Amino acid sequence: IRDSIGAALGDLEAATNESAPSALIGVQDGVPTLASLRDEFPEVARAALATARTEGVSGEQTTGFGAFLRSQFDVRSTTPQEGDNTDAVLSRAEAALRTGRLSDALAEISALPEVARAEMTDWLARAEARADAIAAVDILSTSLSDN
């Protein structure tokens, strides 16, 4: 789901006689909504965690009955957990998303092993586009109110 901003950018450019910020032009046909990113996160988190476990880089115990159950049933934490293992990082990222803190979620995700982040490539691209657009709007808003 996306919110289109193309018409608003045209109005802005006409009113200011300046080009809109490139981060906004890049998403003029639609900015991913926070709700859609939040809704998609559990599926991409599950895939990222499964890959990290398969590749042996999840940072979790890999032997024993608990490890077997986590792996077989794709068990992942849905409440924020302490630690730097993949499951804990993803749980904190999801908690940040639930409270509207996209930048915090992206910061958490940056700590994931590369193979886990690779599983999230499409979601990350949409999330970063939204974060960049929000940052551009903040800068633009400050610039316009200073004039």
Side-chain angles (χ1 to χ4, degrees):
I1 299 173
R2 295 173 176 263
D3 294 329
S4 179
I5 61 170
L9 289 179
D11 293 345
L12 174 69
E13 289 179 339
T16 63
N17 269 341
E18 293 183 23
S19 293
S22 59
L24 295 178
I25 292 170
V27 294
Q28 68 182 334
D29 293 331
V31 179
T33 65
L34 185 59
S36 69
L37 293 170
R38 206 174 12 235
D39 291 347
E40 296 165 5
F41 189 81
E43 185 177 331
V44 294
R46 196 170 291 109
L49 183 55
T51 298
R53 286 175 175 158
T54 300
E55 296 293 323
V57 295
S58 70
E60 299 171 317
Q61 176 81 21
T62 58
T63 59
F65 189 64
F68 172 77
L69 289 176
R70 280 192 305 273
S71 179
Q72 291 300 307
F73 295 105
D74 287 329
V75 174
R76 71 177 192 86
S77 299
T78 57
T79 58
Q81 303 295 311
E82 295 291 323
D84 59 0
N85 66 61
T86 301
D87 183 45
V89 169
L90 289 168
S91 72
R92 291 191 303 272
E94 186 169 16
L97 276 176
R98 279 194 299 259
T99 57
R101 297 176 294 123
L102 180 59
S103 295
D104 291 347
L106 290 171
E108 288 286 356
I109 290 167
S110 71
L112 290 173
E114 177 58 36
V115 294
R117 283 194 321 272
E119 281 294 328
M120 304 177 81
T121 300
D122 293 339
W123 185 92
L124 279 169
R126 290 189 306 279
E128 289 167 353
R130 179 173 181 80
D132 291 347
I134 290 169
V137 166
D138 288 345
I139 290 169
L140 184 60
S141 177
T142 300
S143 171
L144 292 174
S145 51
D146 287 347
N147 289 330

